[in-house]
Amino acid sequence: MRELIVEADGGSRGNPGPAGYGAVVIDAATGETLAEAAEYLGVTTNNVAEYSGLVAGLRAARDLDPTATVRVRMDSKLVVEQMSGRWQIKHPAMRPLAAEARSILPPDRVTYEWIPRAENKHADRLANEAMDAGKRGEQWSPSQSTADLDAGGAARSAAPVKGRGELRDQPQPTRSQTTPRSTPDVRATPEAPGSVAPLEGRGELRDQPQPTRTRTTPVATPDTNDIRAARNVASEAPTAGAAPPDLGTPTTFVLLRHGETPLTPQKRFSGSGGSDPALSDTGRDQADRVATALAARGTVQDVISSPLARCRETAAIVAARLGLDVRIEDGLRETDFGAWEGLTFAEVRERYPDDMSAWLSAPDAEPTGGGESFEAVAHRVGAARDELLAAHTGRTVLLVSHVTPIKTLVRLALGAPPEALFRMELSAASLSVVAYYGDGNASVRLLNDTSALR
């Protein structure tokens, strides 16, 4: 039976913001690009864009060969885990999209695989091209696309596809239709893009005018590369004297580390795989002091907590003072530290020196006994961030969490490398603040503020 590979991606410059998707169908035996799909979606979230890319890619694969098996490769851990059935689909807006994706081909002929962002370059470029086209008031045009060339399509067609390690370029706004290599260009009527400033993030609901559906067109040939590159460069030239866009109200995450537990002053590893301690008397006092400070500010509109006891207790104390309910988000839980749970740093260094050295030097290294790597935590926290941004656009949200997730949110906002986690101090019951703007940028406004405790 023939095997096809679908690589898909989606993005939103804001979450929600101007969004688009890209998808590519590849012959697994030869590595040849068989079809491309991309579309500007108007204003929606990153998760919606990712699922839309998945749907378009599966449809394109079905149209090419309805009897083939399909291997889907995406850099969205959320979509891969949800479509594989390992994670629940909590957001109601995602369920219809997931159901649509499952209905395209028999489920037993479709498998899902997570890949690093660097290996999903082709779909990413298509998505960015579609968003760029939407920014210009157009739909994506295959005749102007350089995604296949930029992703190394010509060289790839000579060998079977096992993985794709090219580095992703910086996000270029783009996405839009389905384009088998050998079929004629069937143009769709462009839809007017949503009139908002570019945003980033990853999201869910399409709440702005939807662009026209995917269309089918041939992948452009290499000899047009220079012409299309020149057009793309020209389209990005800034307009002299143009006023900066109105980015609107940012979505603000107020990040509160839980109060102390009996393990905190002992500096013991206390993650999601351990004893799940409650707050100590000191920790409850800290939570009460932070609640007083936040109530005086009067800016928090929603409270969301890690499922672990120390965070739920901290969140409940603060939410009661603010007159708000607490929602639980599993993605905010602390790292699973495996066999290190309950041990001090010195004890781990003594018992598992090689594992500790690897963990401190490599983001994909796991704690002894099968705990979570920093890389795995970053994927989980990033997915939770994107869902929360989509659900709480323009609001100020208190996230009650732990050291690693909070440091990870700060690191991702700064675009800092993984080793930055070791260069931040985060005290119990401290407050940090990150604002997410409509142009896709994030601003770290506060880090490790403990003034409420003094």
Side-chain angles (χ1 to χ4, degrees), residues 235-325:
S235 71
E236 291 301 310
T239 304
D246 178 8
L247 303 180
T249 303
T251 302
T252 302
F253 286 173
V254 179
L255 310 173
L256 171 61
R257 185 189 169 194
H258 60 80
E260 282 190 11
T261 75
L263 299 182
T264 305
Q266 300 174 30
K267 298 189 181 299
R268 295 185 178 274
F269 283 95
S270 181
S272 57
S275 59
D276 194 15
L279 294 179
S280 63
D281 289 341
T282 298
R284 281 186 284 274
D285 178 68
Q286 290 170 335
D288 188 67
R289 289 172 182 266
V290 172
T292 299
L294 291 175
R297 296 181 190 178
T299 56
V300 172
Q301 297 168 288
D302 303 287
V303 179
I304 298 172
S305 173
S306 154
L308 299 187
R310 52 197 182 271
C311 284
R312 287 189 285 107
E313 192 174 355
T314 301
I317 292 171
V318 176
R321 187 72 58 86
L322 301 179
L324 299 171
D325 295 326

Side-chain angles (χ1 to χ4, degrees), residues 389-405:
L389 284 172
H392 300 274
T393 304
R395 296 175 69 82
T396 297
V397 185
L398 178 68
L399 305 186
V400 185
S401 188
H402 310 262
V403 171
T404 312

Side-chain angles (χ1 to χ4, degrees), residues 134-398:
K135 183 179 178 180
R136 300 190 300 268
E138 305 168 358
Q139 275 294 344
W140 175 77
S141 171
S143 64
Q144 296 187 9
S145 175
T146 63
D148 190 41
L149 299 173
D150 294 339
R156 202 175 54 243
S157 64
V161 174
K162 297 295 182 187
R164 301 168 70 190
E166 307 91 341
L167 262 210
R168 262 195 171 170
D169 297 328
Q170 281 291 0
Q172 333 242 337
T174 38
R175 295 175 155 114
S176 217
Q177 32 235 359
T178 317
T179 93
R181 262 193 183 287
S182 57
T183 54
D185 185 2
V186 181
R187 302 297 173 116
T189 306
E191 174 183 314
S195 58
V196 302
L199 308 170
E200 183 203 15
R202 304 202 153 184
E204 275 117 329
L205 249 246
R206 300 188 189 183
D207 42 16
Q208 224 35 5
Q210 310 290 311
T212 47
R213 292 314 310 167
T214 331
R215 46 184 170 167
T216 305
T217 36
V219 174
T221 55
D223 58 357
T224 61
N225 187 31
D226 293 339
I227 297 173
R228 287 177 308 185
R231 285 175 179 163
N232 290 342
V233 170
S235 71
E236 291 301 310
T239 304
D246 178 8
L247 303 180
T249 303
T251 302
T252 302
F253 286 173
V254 179
L255 310 173
L256 171 61
R257 185 189 169 194
H258 60 80
E260 282 190 11
T261 75
L263 299 182
T264 305
Q266 300 174 30
K267 298 189 181 299
R268 295 185 178 274
F269 283 95
S270 181
S272 57
S275 59
D276 194 15
L279 294 179
S280 63
D281 289 341
T282 298
R284 281 186 284 274
D285 178 68
Q286 290 170 335
D288 188 67
R289 289 172 182 266
V290 172
T292 299
L294 291 175
R297 296 181 190 178
T299 56
V300 172
Q301 297 168 288
D302 303 287
V303 179
I304 298 172
S305 173
S306 154
L308 299 187
R310 52 197 182 271
C311 284
R312 287 189 285 107
E313 192 174 355
T314 301
I317 292 171
V318 176
R321 187 72 58 86
L322 301 179
L324 299 171
D325 295 326
V326 178
R327 181 190 142 197
I328 302 301
E329 170 52 59
D330 186 64
L332 297 178
R333 70 184 186 277
E334 182 57 287
T335 306
D336 181 345
F337 292 114
W340 303 352
E341 294 280 0
L343 302 180
T344 65
F345 189 91
E347 289 169 339
V348 173
R349 175 71 84 183
E350 180 181 354
R351 298 182 195 184
Y352 311 103
D354 293 340
D355 290 350
M356 172 62 80
S357 296
W359 184 71
L360 292 173
S361 60
D364 60 348
E366 297 177 350
T368 310
E372 285 183 292
S373 67
F374 287 124
E375 186 175 75
V377 173
H379 286 304
R380 165 165 59 83
V381 170
R385 173 204 61 192
D386 295 342
E387 287 195 341
L388 293 172
L389 284 172
H392 300 274
T393 304
R395 296 175 69 82
T396 297
V397 185
L398 178 68

Side-chain angles (χ1 to χ4, degrees), residues 1-2 4 58-70 104-106 108-110:
M1 183 179 290
R2 185 184 190 188
L4 300 176
L58 290 173
R59 284 177 173 164
R62 180 195 60 192
D63 293 345
L64 285 165
D65 188 345
T67 66
T69 61
V70 175
I104 295 170
L105 287 166
D108 61 349
R109 286 202 275 113
V110 183

